[in-house]
Amino acid sequence: APPAIFILGLPHPLLPYRPPRPPPPQRAMQRLRRIRLRRQAAAKYPDVHINDREANRASRFPTNNITTTKYTLLNFIPKNLLEQFRRITNVYFLCVVIITLIPAISPLNPLTSIAPLVFVLGVTALKEAYEDFLRYKADARVNGRKYTVFLPDGGTRRKASRDLVVGDVIELKADDTLPADVIPLCSALPSGSVYVETAQLDGETNLKEKLCPSALQNKGRDGCTALRGTVTGELPNADLYQFTGSITPEGESRIGLEKENLLLRGTQVRNTEWAVGMVLYTGVKSKLSLNQKQPPSKFSTVERRLNKCVIGIFTFKMFCVVVVTVLTAAFHANDAQDAWYLDFEGESAAFQAVKNFFSYFALLSFMIPMSLMVTLEVVKVFQGSFMEWDKKMARDPHNVEETGCKAKTSNLNDELALVQYVFSDKTGTLTSNCMVFHQCGVNGTVYANAGEGQLREVVQAGGDNADWVREFCVCLAVCHDVNNPEMKNGRFDYKAESPDEKALVEGAEANGFVFNRRTQEGVHVTYPDGSDHYFEVLRRIAFTSSRRRMSVLVRMEDGSIRLYSKGADSVMGDLLSGSQRNTDLKAKTFDDIEEFCRTGLRTLIMGYRDLSEDEAAQVLARYDETTAKEGEARKKAVDVVDDDLEKDLEMIGCSAIEDKLQDDVPGTIHNLLQSGIRVWMITGDKMATAENIALSCRLLSRSMEIVKIDTPKSRGDLLDTLNSKKVKYCDGDQSKRKVMGMIINGSALNYIFELTDEEKRQKRKTTKLAEPFLKVALMCHSVVCCRVTPLQKANIVKLVKEETKCISLSIGDGANDVSMIQEAHIGVGIFGKEGTQAARSADYAIHEFRHLRRLLTVHGRWSFVRNAQLIQYYIYKNSAVFLVQFWFAFYCGYSAQTIYDDWIVTMFNILFTSIPPFFYALFEKDIDDDIIDEYPEAYRNVQSGKHFTYSSLVTWMLLALWHSLVFFFGPVLMIANEPFVYDGKTAGLRFFGAVCATIGITTVILKLAIESNTWNVFVHLGIWGSIASYWLFFLGESFLAYFVPTQYWQFVAVVTNPNFWALYIFTIVVCLAPDAIFNFMRRQLYPEDWMILQEAKKTRKLSRSDITEMNVT
């Protein structure tokens, strides 16, 4: 037996101590963590053998076949059904179908529930199948493109894109689309350049220059097609703007590869006759595929509220079922035993109650409209199409297809009417992003007409500042990423990724320093005297949003080496040499920058640094050393060398670029503000620039009391400032407060969003600074956030969205706006000159900011009014007609006998009452668009969402309850004295049910007619055609005795009975007259805003002062 000390689990005094083992689940997690870390440490993209399929087969690279389809022929039905039955309403109706399939408890023919469910599932499945078929055709078109592949034996073969594998050497011709991520080996251009258009990746139509490694370009076409060796690349990732790798030809040294040496899948070859490249990443591992992610799912307020309403209706239905079940048990226990003719012998009260519970569960199931979801989804698709067809939302009304709005999702159409906060980017969103070189400051001197050739005159005239001006112009003409220009109409046409780059090069050209061509080794610049000068480019350091600067290391014609650099003043000031950091020149230049910013100009600082041959050789050697590293280690090593190179700069001057506002931006912002929408402008510009733009676009005004929060000294200093502003503006007498605006700096936002260690330990979601900042900001008419990063943009939206619980919308045009767009409830992208990444990631895409006004106040408003009425009407009509079954239970001994014919029940939602609300939701307009545009305050009427609230739904349900009573008890009174029909027989159950159905269906259709404000041919067709379809259907089934024996001759029995016609007219009047009278009295005594605006449309007697008196809270 073991010693007691081991039984107790205590350590033995003579044995070494071993810590207790963790429990099994914890041990398993630790083991998995170790395995994952080992895999991450060993993660490395396999070496690729050039043009050697056998050697590459062992690495099991993915195929190049691209599949974006959601289904296959084998899994379509099960997968689609699985997705559809994730909706709780479909599961609910499936349960109803199961109940109706049990003859012992089903009061209905199973077809009454099967047919509507199959209809709903079928319509959705057909829609999914069509969309997936379009994806399949697109995939087949892409995978079937043919390319020339160079075989190891020296021959060639045409292969489809799907058959390409990693390591293949292929030929690319002009206008070819890249089938995979490819390393260019050589090209037809002597410089080794390959020009590509990346519109499919980022939407930018400007050509980008990619480079073949010079050592391989020198081998020529034949040498590259016969090339052997290995290529090392980083692990596949989604970053389009980063790549590191190396290529090692057989018997030669390693050659470093960077982002300029990678052609991405989806790009198109332009201005290059041919190029030879090696396939590196294929299929799902290409950067294009890795970037094709589904956007975050967004659900509208109407959808969320509808789900809760369905639960409420289900609860009410279950209440009715329980009431009938209890009464069933009481009736069976007290009265049914004496009624021998009911044949209840052998059935207990409990059994009968349980049986009737399921029977009435199926019988009253139609109170929840099965086809509502499908109708709402189809309606939203059409509403989105109306937005795309709207000529007033197109940049070119004659080309709506290409320049109009794009509705990327239809789920949020009605959400557009509830927006309370708009967060907007500035550059390219409010401004046109059409940059013009306007002014500059060189060596402390401002040249106000620099964009008109003033600098050329200074250089030609000579003088003390001529050399500095020449150096400034050379920096503009050399330090850039502009592609080789084309000559058009006697001038060079420059293409650049950034409009700023293009403007600066055009500014240099305007002053006689013309960038005329680029080679792989350098750039050529023509001086004002006509002489051509060559600058050998030793190293080019690209601009990034994190670095906020660009540099180029060049060898001058005299052999000297110089680094030219340009960037934002926020970073360039710290890179100046020690002798210039505190000089009058720096102070004067920064004063000039402030003055430029006050007039709304964009600024950059230019500088240079001279390097000796030894210094340059050391720097280039350090760059060469980084090629031995891979992945993130190489990127970090390159960044270190870049930072060491870009320092000790001598300031040359600063540039000022003008970016004009887009058309009607001030009017659009003024309209949005009048609509009750608060607008925040979020930009990376300086505070002075941002303030000037905000004033010019009427976001801020001189009469406002503007709260400015600039760069704080510390977190505590910012907290004191915010608390003082809070006390001053939020805790005082609000009646005397002026209209406020706020301007806040990005450095202050850093403190607001960055949690301290103590706040992290407290597990706070926001900092202590967030509360006072938000309280002051929400009091403001509008807010301007400047000097912000892309992450801060998203954080601002997230803070306001979560703390206010209000609907937010973000709008931008660049890739740096994507996070902000996806964070908001609604994202709107602008097709801009910075590409279409914002438009592609948004819910809606437009071409100009002014289109946002119509998108929100017209289409958004109409969509919300239509969808809200559609949902409530659907619930009303089903409840009104099928609550009759509940009242009938009190007359049939709670036997679950159905009062309606099974075919009438089946076709009720499919045919009789589906078309009118569909056309209503497409064409209803409570007020016209020109009135909305003239009186934007009308937007506030729907902004609060009062058209669809729980109280409004209860009102519709009470109306349905009243109408159901009339539908049932009207016919009850008619047959109370056993009226005779035409052949002398008395009315029976089928006659009674037909009368109830006829009255009910006609009344609910005419109820929609009373609610309609817009009448056109479709609305007329829907309403009168639906009533006619019911009568024709009733007529048809009355003469088809073989198929519907219970309805045989019922049509004749009903229409030949004069009591029916009297009741028909009387019940419709009783039901609808109060509604019409109520609507009339409300319009006369308590009119809503839209009612007054309707009259304004007709009479044109409404003045602006009348609008201010409206109740638009």
Side-chain angles (χ1 to χ4, degrees):
I5 191 167
F6 288 109
I7 296 176
L8 294 174
L10 299 175
H12 195 281
L14 300 179
L15 296 177
Y17 172 74
R18 293 182 179 178
R21 297 183 66 190
Q26 188 175 348
R27 290 202 303 272
M29 293 298 296
Q30 291 175 349
R31 189 178 300 110
L32 290 174
R33 191 178 297 110
R34 287 195 297 269
I35 293 173
R36 185 168 63 251
L37 291 175
R38 281 199 298 270
R39 287 179 177 176
Q40 290 176 353
K44 179 180 178 295
Y45 193 66
D47 289 346
V48 179
H49 299 269
I50 303 174
N51 213 352
D52 191 342
R53 288 198 170 197
E54 291 299 324
N56 290 327
R57 185 171 288 116
S59 299
R60 296 186 177 183
F61 293 110
T63 68
N64 201 41
N65 188 61
I66 290 294
T67 302
T68 60
T69 56
K70 193 175 181 180
Y71 306 100
T72 65
L73 288 175
L74 295 178
N75 71 10
F76 175 76
I77 293 179
K79 187 174 181 179
N80 183 261
L81 288 177
L82 179 63
E83 289 198 356
Q84 292 204 58
F85 280 109
R86 288 179 180 176
R87 294 180 175 177
I88 191 65
T89 52
N90 288 342
V91 175
Y92 165 75
F93 284 108
L94 179 63
C95 296
V96 174
V97 168
I98 294 173
I99 292 175
T100 58
L101 290 173
I102 304 175
I105 62 175
S106 175
L108 297 169
N109 187 320
L111 188 63
T112 60
S113 54
I114 293 176
L117 182 60
V118 170
F119 173 76
V120 170
L121 297 178
V123 170
T124 305
L126 287 175
K127 172 178 170 291
E128 289 283 327
Y130 176 71
E131 292 176 349
D132 212 48
F133 178 68
L134 295 180
R135 288 190 286 265
Y136 168 77
K137 290 203 304 182
D139 291 344
R141 185 168 57 252
V142 171
N143 292 326
R145 290 175 180 151
K146 298 288 187 178
Y147 296 88
T148 300
V149 180
F150 295 97
L151 303 178
D153 60 5
T156 61
R157 181 179 299 172
R158 296 284 288 175
K159 290 187 179 182
S161 174
R162 65 171 64 89
D163 298 324
L164 299 180
V165 298
V166 173
D168 280 354
V169 177
I170 63 174
E171 181 184 36
L172 299 170
K173 296 183 178 180
D175 299 328
D176 275 355
T177 299
L178 270 293
D181 292 349
V182 174
I183 301 293
L185 304 178
C186 65
S187 78
L189 299 177
S191 63
S193 300
V194 180
Y195 291 100
V196 294
E197 183 181 285
T198 61
Q200 188 173 345
L201 286 177
D202 53 20
E204 296 183 12
T205 56
N206 295 329
L207 298 184
K208 296 180 176 62
E209 182 185 26
K210 299 295 182 178
L211 301 174
C212 304
S214 55
L216 300 180
Q217 175 69 14
N218 295 334
K219 292 179 179 291
R221 179 187 178 98
D222 295 337
C224 289
T225 56
L227 185 68
R228 296 295 182 273
T230 59
V231 174
T232 301
E234 62 187 13
L235 286 171
N237 58 75
D239 193 340
L240 300 175
Y241 309 105
Q242 291 293 336
F243 170 73
T244 58
S246 62
I247 181 170
T248 308
E250 283 186 353
E252 299 181 25
S253 59
R254 175 183 297 194
I255 303 171
L257 300 175
E258 297 183 358
K259 65 176 182 177
E260 291 82 7
N261 307 122
L262 183 66
L263 305 175
L264 301 182
R265 180 190 182 105
T267 59
Q268 288 185 303
V269 178
R270 301 292 192 199
N271 296 359
T272 307
E273 183 180 354
W274 59 262
V276 175
M278 189 214 74
V279 177
L280 181 61
Y281 301 123
T282 54
V284 295
K285 297 300 183 182
S286 64
K287 289 184 180 290
L288 176 62
S289 297
L290 293 173
N291 274 276
Q292 290 175 340
K293 298 179 180 179
Q294 291 295 330
S297 298
K298 296 180 179 180
F299 298 95
S300 68
T301 302
V302 170
E303 285 180 314
R304 291 192 294 268
R305 195 167 294 171
L306 173 60
N307 292 334
K308 295 180 180 179
C309 290
V310 170
I311 294 174
I313 297 170
F314 177 78
T315 304
F316 175 71
K317 172 210 162 176
M318 291 305 299
F319 170 77
C320 295
V321 171
V322 170
V323 168
V324 175
T325 302
V326 172
L327 294 176
T328 297
F331 174 79
H332 191 84
N334 300 326
D335 302 321
Q337 300 303 324
D338 298 331
W340 54 269
Y341 51 84
L342 294 179
D343 195 22
F344 280 151
E345 294 182 7
E347 293 185 359
S348 65
F351 173 80
Q352 191 66 29
V354 173
K355 177 183 174 182
N356 276 16
F357 174 85
F358 289 103
S359 298
Y360 276 99
F361 184 90
L363 203 59
L364 298 178
S365 63
F366 296 97
M367 289 177 61
I368 299 177
M370 183 185 301
S371 58
L372 171 58
M373 298 299 182
V374 174
T375 304
L376 187 61
E377 186 173 338
V378 174
V379 162
K380 286 186 174 183
V381 171
F382 274 94
Q383 290 171 351
S385 299
F386 289 158
M387 297 177 189
E388 295 183 347
W389 298 335
D390 189 350
K391 292 184 178 181
K392 294 182 180 180
M393 290 182 62
R395 188 176 57 197
D396 180 6
H398 302 291
N399 187 10
V400 178
E401 184 176 355
E402 294 184 5
T403 66
C405 170
K406 302 297 180 185
K408 315 294 282 299
T409 179
S410 57
N411 293 336
L412 303 175
N413 294 346
D414 38 50
E415 196 84 341
L416 293 168
L418 307 177
V419 173
Q420 295 184 10
Y421 288 91
V422 167
F423 300 92
S424 174
D425 176 43
K426 181 187 76 68
T427 304
T429 303
L430 300 179
T431 61
S432 61
N433 208 8
C434 183
M435 310 296 183
V436 178
F437 181 69
H438 196 269
Q439 302 180 50
C440 68
V442 180
N443 194 33
T445 302
V446 173
Y447 297 96
N449 298 316
E452 301 174 3
Q454 184 180 8
L455 302 183
R456 180 208 296 258
E457 298 173 0
V458 174
V459 171
Q460 292 176 340
D464 296 338
N465 218 32
D467 291 339
W468 283 103
V469 171
R470 182 184 297 106
E471 205 64 41
F472 179 84
C473 293
V474 169
C475 180
L476 297 184
V478 173
C479 185
H480 57 79
D481 284 325
V482 177
N483 297 327
N484 269 330
E486 297 179 5
M487 185 66 71
K488 290 185 179 180
N489 300 324
R491 293 194 61 181
F492 283 115
D493 181 30
Y494 295 107
K495 301 292 185 182
E497 296 183 31
S498 167
D500 296 81
E501 291 271 81
K502 180 182 177 182
L504 292 174
V505 173
E506 289 176 341
E509 181 193 32
N511 287 281
F513 292 80
V514 183
F515 162 65
N516 53 59
R517 69 183 185 277
R518 179 191 299 277
T519 66
Q520 190 167 5
E521 292 78 20
V523 296
H524 292 262
V525 177
T526 302
Y527 278 28
D529 59 4
S531 59
D532 185 80
H533 297 260
Y534 174 71
F535 298 84
E536 181 186 356
V537 177
L538 304 177
R539 182 73 184 180
R540 188 169 57 185
I541 307 174
F543 176 92
T544 64
S545 57
S546 58
R547 287 168 29 83
R548 306 191 70 179
R549 62 187 183 274
M550 179 203 173
S551 300
V552 58
L553 183 65
V554 299
R555 185 185 299 275
M556 313 289 282
E557 289 181 318
D558 59 2
S560 62
I561 298 175
R562 176 167 292 179
L563 175 79
Y564 286 108
S565 185
K566 66 181 180 185
D569 59 281
S570 58
V571 295
M572 294 292 287
D574 297 331
L575 302 180
L576 298 177
S577 62
S579 60
Q580 277 201 341
R581 288 185 184 176
N582 298 303
T583 60
D584 294 338
L585 175 60
K586 178 184 177 182
K588 177 63 170 60
T589 302
F590 274 79
D591 288 341
D592 295 340
I593 289 175
E594 287 295 326
E595 186 61 32
F596 292 150
C597 291
R598 290 191 188 96
T599 57
L601 301 178
R602 297 163 59 89
T603 59
L604 291 174
I605 285 182
M606 282 69 186
Y608 75 94
R609 175 191 174 189
D610 288 325
L611 283 80
S612 66
E613 283 287 346
D614 292 339
E615 289 175 325
Q618 292 176 4
V619 169
L620 296 176
R622 291 178 63 188
Y623 278 121
D624 292 338
E625 291 173 0
T626 61
T627 59
K629 300 180 181 180
E630 297 177 1
E632 194 64 31
R634 181 174 174 181
K635 295 176 187 175
K636 291 181 179 179
V638 171
D639 288 342
V640 171
V641 182
D642 290 342
D643 292 340
D644 289 342
L645 179 59
E646 296 172 313
K647 64 181 182 180
D648 297 332
L649 300 177
E650 299 294 325
M651 183 188 297
I652 304 175
C654 60
S655 64
I657 300 175
E658 182 181 15
D659 186 10
K660 296 182 179 180
L661 290 177
Q662 293 183 20
D663 292 341
D664 199 28
V665 166
T668 300
I669 290 181
H670 181 67
N671 185 286
L672 295 176
L673 294 173
Q674 283 188 307
S675 301
I677 300 173
R678 299 189 179 187
V679 182
W680 290 37
M681 186 178 78
I682 307 176
T683 177
D685 287 339
K686 291 174 66 67
M687 181 175 284
T689 305
E691 181 179 3
N692 183 273
I693 294 295
L695 289 170
S696 61
C697 67
R698 299 178 70 179
L699 185 62
L700 299 177
S701 67
R702 305 281 182 190
S703 61
M704 281 185 180
E705 187 166 349
I706 299 178
V707 180
K708 291 187 179 181
I709 302 178
D710 208 336
T711 305
K713 298 178 181 178
S714 64
R715 183 182 295 270
D717 177 54
L718 178 60
L719 181 60
D720 293 339
T721 301
L722 289 174
N723 284 330
S724 64
K725 302 293 185 185
K726 176 184 172 184
V727 171
K728 180 179 179 180
Y729 297 111
C730 302
D731 299 338
D733 186 359
Q734 301 300 317
S735 61
K736 298 180 180 179
R737 180 174 57 84
K738 296 174 62 177
V739 177
M740 290 171 51
M742 174 185 280
I743 305 176
I744 186 169
N745 201 300
S747 56
L749 291 171
N750 278 334
Y751 289 119
I752 292 173
F753 293 128
E754 187 177 350
L755 292 168
T756 63
D757 293 338
E758 181 183 354
E759 289 169 336
K760 291 178 182 178
R761 287 193 297 269
Q762 296 173 354
K763 297 183 178 180
R764 292 176 58 99
K765 293 184 178 180
T766 59
T767 65
K768 296 178 181 179
L769 297 169
E771 187 270 333
F773 159 70
L774 199 59
K775 192 160 186 179
V776 176
L778 296 183
M779 297 293 293
C780 295
H781 187 257
S782 49
V783 178
V784 176
C785 304
C786 52
R787 288 296 197 192
V788 297
T789 64
L791 180 59
Q792 285 177 333
K793 290 184 177 184
N795 286 336
I796 292 170
V797 177
K798 183 179 180 181
L799 177 65
V800 176
K801 180 181 75 171
E802 293 182 349
E803 296 300 322
T804 64
K805 308 300 181 185
C806 295
I807 304 302
S808 60
L809 180 147
S810 293
I811 179 170
D813 73 312
N816 59 340
D817 301 318
V818 170
S819 58
M820 174 179 74
I821 287 172
Q822 294 185 341
E823 181 63 45
H825 293 97
I826 306 170
V828 178
I830 290 183
F831 293 102
K833 296 183 179 180
E834 295 184 13
T836 60
Q837 285 183 318
R840 293 185 179 194
S841 63
D843 304 303
Y844 301 89
I846 56 180
H847 284 265
E848 295 180 0
F849 182 79
R850 62 188 175 92
H851 298 150
L852 180 65
R853 170 170 61 184
R854 187 169 178 84
L855 180 67
L856 294 180
T857 61
V858 176
H859 288 285
R861 189 184 186 283
W862 282 347
S863 296
F864 181 79
V865 171
R866 294 164 177 172
N867 295 347
Q869 289 293 93
L870 172 70
I871 292 169
Q872 295 175 121
Y873 172 76
Y874 249 95
I875 293 172
Y876 150 78
K877 72 180 181 63
N878 278 47
S879 299
V881 172
F882 289 102
L883 270 175
V884 171
Q885 300 277 18
F886 177 73
W887 306 126
F888 184 61
F890 296 92
Y891 284 79
C892 67
Y894 314 105
S895 61
Q897 171 66 49
T898 177
I899 194 174
Y900 297 129
D901 172 62
D902 289 343
W903 279 104
I904 297 295
V905 173
T906 302
M907 303 304 293
F908 178 78
N909 280 315
I910 296 178
L911 178 61
F912 303 147
T913 62
S914 61
I915 303 301
F918 175 74
F919 284 138
Y920 173 91
L922 291 185
F923 301 110
E924 172 65 7
K925 298 178 183 178
D926 55 347
I927 48 179
D928 291 338
D929 54 343
D930 57 339
I931 291 293
I932 297 174
D933 191 60
E934 188 176 352
Y935 302 108
E937 292 87 350
Y939 182 82
R940 302 189 187 188
N941 182 256
V942 299
Q943 193 178 40
S944 60
K946 66 179 183 180
H947 282 70
F948 182 35
T949 61
Y950 300 119
S951 59
S952 67
L953 182 65
V954 169
T955 302
W956 278 91
M957 285 298 296
L958 291 175
L959 188 65
L961 187 65
W962 158 245
H963 286 184
S964 68
L965 289 169
V966 177
F967 297 162
F968 177 74
F969 286 103
V972 166
L973 294 175
M974 187 186 81
I975 66 170
N977 297 320
E978 295 290 338
F980 289 91
V981 292
Y982 75 101
D983 58 356
K985 296 178 181 179
T986 58
L989 175 63
R990 292 306 168 193
F991 177 88
F992 180 74
V995 172
C996 290
T998 303
I999 294 172
I1001 291 174
T1002 305
T1003 302
V1004 297
I1005 294 175
L1006 292 178
K1007 169 62 179 173
L1008 186 63
I1010 292 178
E1011 298 296 326
S1012 297
N1013 293 289
T1014 300
W1015 288 85
N1016 56 29
V1017 62
F1018 296 102
V1019 176
H1020 278 289
L1021 179 65
I1023 290 177
W1024 310 122
S1026 294
I1027 295 176
S1029 70
Y1030 167 75
W1031 281 105
L1032 291 174
F1033 187 88
F1034 186 20
L1035 173 64
E1037 70 169 0
S1038 295
F1039 292 100
L1040 297 175
Y1042 179 81
F1043 297 101
V1044 195
T1046 58
Q1047 289 293 97
Y1048 180 66
W1049 218 244
Q1050 288 297 325
F1051 178 83
V1052 177
V1054 170
V1055 299
T1056 57
N1057 192 315
N1059 291 336
F1060 162 75
W1061 291 108
L1063 179 67
Y1064 185 68
I1065 297 173
F1066 175 76
T1067 52
I1068 292 176
V1069 171
V1070 168
C1071 288
L1072 300 183
D1075 296 349
I1077 294 172
F1078 173 78
N1079 290 341
F1080 175 79
M1081 296 302 294
R1082 184 180 62 166
R1083 181 179 289 271
Q1084 296 300 318
L1085 301 178
Y1086 305 102
E1088 295 189 22
D1089 302 344
W1090 62 272
M1091 298 176 184
I1092 300 175
L1093 293 173
Q1094 272 186 344
E1095 296 182 12
K1097 172 70 174 180
K1098 296 179 180 179
T1099 63
R1100 281 297 178 187
K1101 293 181 179 180
L1102 190 68
S1103 65
R1104 171 56 58 179
S1105 61
D1106 296 325
I1107 294 293
T1108 60
E1109 296 176 1
M1110 286 183 180
N1111 181 21
V1112 291
T1113 57

